[in-house]
Amino acid sequence: MTYIDIEHPDHFNGLPVHTWAASGARPAADTVAWRLETDYDEQTEFAVLWQRFLDSVDTAQVRALLIGPWWDGDYSSFEPVRDLLVAHADRFPALRGLFLADVVGEECEVSWLQMCDVTPVLEALPWLEEFTVRGCGQEGLALRPVRHTALKTLRFESGGLPGDLVRAVTASELPALERLDLWFGSSWYGGDATLADLGPVLSGGTFPRLRHLGLQNSEIQDEIAAAVAAAPVVAQLETLALSMGTLSDTGGEALLNGQPLNHLSTLDLRHHYLTGPVLERIRAACAPAVVEGGEAEEDYADPDDEPERYVAVSE
């Protein structure tokens, strides 16, 4: 199930998103983030679309790229698209932002996206600064530990993030990393990461330049909140996101009893199961930090009538 609307970004890597088309006027190559997607009606193979893009745009000037739906009939693996990106990496010396699988629910559910090992992309683009990947673990999403000295933003949006991938992230050498977002998702869709997998990040020694941490969309959001409440990494953060998951008063009390969070500019708790009084206490304790989060997903003031809790994005 998906309880939030995943939408196509209108900006990426600081640039307005422009969908490439075979005809019509085109903006200068370095002024937009280019989005490539197959046309369902035309059923053009992505390899053909890709070659047309290479032939029509000065790719040496392209600064940001988003890959939308890549299949031309039935859903297919992302691996051939990955291989095209790797094979032509030298055509994109200015590329700084890359979004793999910019796909919304009307096009394909996140759990149906047939992803692959994305490590070769990072290895082929050592100058990349922002990397976003959407997809679930049960459909092949994988990463191996890498050393990448330029990457500043890493984001995995998933309805089921594999523990192996989380461990690969925390084992990677990313000395420039400033922003990390992980959507853990549901065990029904391959999300088997544990709190122990986050140990290297929470210790604060893994990514010395980290200023934003998002540990989101988790079925163990209370346990994550309790760990964050005592985690050394929090002292170096400017923003923290514990949103989209099953955060309840248990996790909220852990935050209240833990280290101060009022040095943050923002604490994101949107999509939560906190009762009103606990949320207001968190707001007061974190001031002047902005605490984002409205009413709970369910009202369960009566502890004997607690509803089942869900992450915001799973299927």
Side-chain angles (χ1 to χ4, degrees), residues 175-222:
L177 193 68
E178 298 174 359
R179 300 182 62 86
L180 174 64
D181 285 287
L182 301 172
W183 293 11
F184 295 96
S186 167
S187 56
W188 283 100
Y189 296 100
D192 60 0
T194 67
L195 198 58
D197 297 332
L198 296 173
V201 174
L202 297 177
S203 72
T206 301
F207 305 127
R209 295 190 181 181
L210 197 68
R211 296 297 177 265
H212 166 83
L213 179 60
L215 305 176
Q216 302 159 267
N217 199 47
S218 176
E219 293 178 329
I220 58 168
Q221 204 72 58
D222 283 341

Side-chain angles (χ1 to χ4, degrees), residues 32-270:
V32 298
W34 293 91
R35 185 173 189 271
L36 297 180
E37 62 178 8
T38 55
D39 189 312
Y40 180 81
D41 294 326
E42 291 186 5
Q43 294 192 343
T44 302
E45 292 184 4
F46 187 88
V48 174
L49 176 74
W50 178 254
Q51 189 59 54
R52 290 174 180 171
F53 175 69
L54 296 182
D55 293 341
S56 62
V57 174
D58 182 5
T59 57
Q61 302 298 318
V62 170
R63 295 162 54 194
L65 185 64
L66 303 90
I67 306 297
W70 60 87
W71 51 90
D72 57 279
D74 294 334
Y75 299 131
S76 58
S77 172
F78 192 81
E79 187 170 347
V81 181
R82 178 203 65 189
D83 292 345
L84 287 172
L85 286 166
V86 171
H88 295 101
D90 61 343
R91 298 280 300 269
F92 294 88
L95 190 67
R96 296 297 179 267
L98 180 61
F99 189 155
L100 305 185
D102 173 24
V103 177
V104 299
E106 296 149 2
E107 297 161 333
C108 179
E109 297 290 354
V110 65
S111 64
W112 301 351
L113 294 171
Q114 298 184 33
M115 300 306 292
C116 61
D117 186 347
V118 297
T119 316
V121 177
L122 287 173
E123 293 172 336
L125 297 169
W127 50 87
L128 198 67
E129 295 181 353
E130 181 172 1
F131 189 45
T132 296
V133 182
R134 181 175 292 158
C136 280
Q138 64 179 9
E139 296 297 345
L141 178 62
L143 178 75
R144 290 176 278 106
V146 295
R147 173 171 171 77
H148 197 293
T149 60
L151 197 66
K152 296 179 179 179
T153 298
L154 179 61
R155 183 176 178 90
F156 283 96
E157 299 182 353
S158 179
L161 201 62
D164 286 346
L165 187 144
V166 176
R167 289 189 289 275
V169 170
T170 61
S172 292
E173 294 184 57
L174 307 172
L177 193 68
E178 298 174 359
R179 300 182 62 86
L180 174 64
D181 285 287
L182 301 172
W183 293 11
F184 295 96
S186 167
S187 56
W188 283 100
Y189 296 100
D192 60 0
T194 67
L195 198 58
D197 297 332
L198 296 173
V201 174
L202 297 177
S203 72
T206 301
F207 305 127
R209 295 190 181 181
L210 197 68
R211 296 297 177 265
H212 166 83
L213 179 60
L215 305 176
Q216 302 159 267
N217 199 47
S218 176
E219 293 178 329
I220 58 168
Q221 204 72 58
D222 283 341
E223 290 89 340
I224 288 174
V228 164
V233 72
V234 172
Q236 72 188 64
L237 300 179
E238 296 173 359
T239 55
L240 172 65
L242 302 175
S243 56
M244 301 172 59
T246 60
L247 185 68
S248 74
D249 282 0
T250 300
E253 292 288 353
L255 292 175
L256 287 166
N257 293 326
Q259 62 188 307
L261 299 176
N262 54 7
H263 69 287
L264 299 172
S265 63
T266 305
L267 172 62
D268 183 1
L269 300 180
R270 289 174 294 177

